[in-house]
């Protein structure tokens, strides 16, 4: 079993910054990908950014140049540095870990960007 615990969400004005963190615990072994998805009200959950164990990253076009994903394998932790936030970034952000064909999810953390 794997547990993912997120922190760092909150309310920020447009143009501001937030840093999300996610720590994984439990039965963690092997090669796995970690990352962040988000879901705004009335919309489907969408990819924000993911990072492999080797550091390869994938990011949505909407966040490129503004968000940076990083991880520390020894701590099983992934971070999402979010800069130049926009109201359209408002959503619940979910941490994800993918190992093989299995996805694990955190409980989500709310990010609200006011205009």
């Amino acid at each position: 079993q794997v547990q993912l615990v997120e922190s760092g969400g909150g309310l920020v004005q447009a143009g501001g910054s937030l840093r999300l963190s996610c720590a994984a615990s439990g039965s963690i072994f092997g090669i796995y990908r970690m990352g962040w998805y988000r879901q705004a009200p009335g919309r489907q959950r969408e990819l924000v950014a993911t990072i492999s164990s080797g550091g390869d990253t994938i990011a949505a076009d909407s966040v490129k140049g503004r968000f940076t994903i990083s991880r520390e394998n020894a701590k099983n932790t992934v971070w999402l540095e979010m800069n130049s936030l926009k109201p359209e970034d408002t959503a619940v952000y979910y941490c994800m870990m993918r190992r093989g064909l299995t996805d694990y999810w955190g409980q989500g953390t709310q990010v609200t960007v006011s205009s």
Side-chain angles (χ1 to χ4, degrees):
Q1 194 65 290
V2 173
Q3 296 81 40
L4 301 173
V5 178
E6 303 118 329
S7 62
L11 173 64
V12 64
Q13 289 187 331
S17 299
L18 283 174
R19 189 186 195 215
L20 305 182
S21 64
C22 173
S25 62
S27 302
I28 301 172
F29 56 89
I31 299 172
Y32 55 94
R33 195 170 192 92
M34 294 187 75
W36 297 89
Y37 282 69
R38 67 186 181 187
Q39 188 168 18
R43 301 188 66 177
Q44 290 187 329
R45 191 172 296 189
E46 63 178 8
L47 168 74
V48 177
T50 65
I51 184 168
S52 71
S53 299
D56 295 325
T57 62
I58 297 172
D61 288 342
S62 59
V63 307
K64 286 179 180 177
R66 301 188 298 122
F67 292 9
T68 302
I69 189 169
S70 60
R71 68 185 282 174
E72 184 171 342
N73 292 334
K75 294 184 177 180
N76 299 315
T77 300
V78 62
W79 295 273
L80 185 69
E81 187 76 33
M82 304 185 293
N83 298 313
S84 302
L85 282 161
K86 305 175 181 180
E88 51 263 43
D89 294 318
T90 295
V92 177
Y93 284 69
Y94 295 91
C95 178
M96 180 277 299
M97 186 178 87
R98 176 169 298 148
R99 188 174 65 208
L101 299 178
T102 302
D103 287 349
Y104 301 91
W105 296 93
Q107 80 284 357
T109 185
Q110 177 70 46
V111 171
T112 303
V113 185
S114 63
S115 57

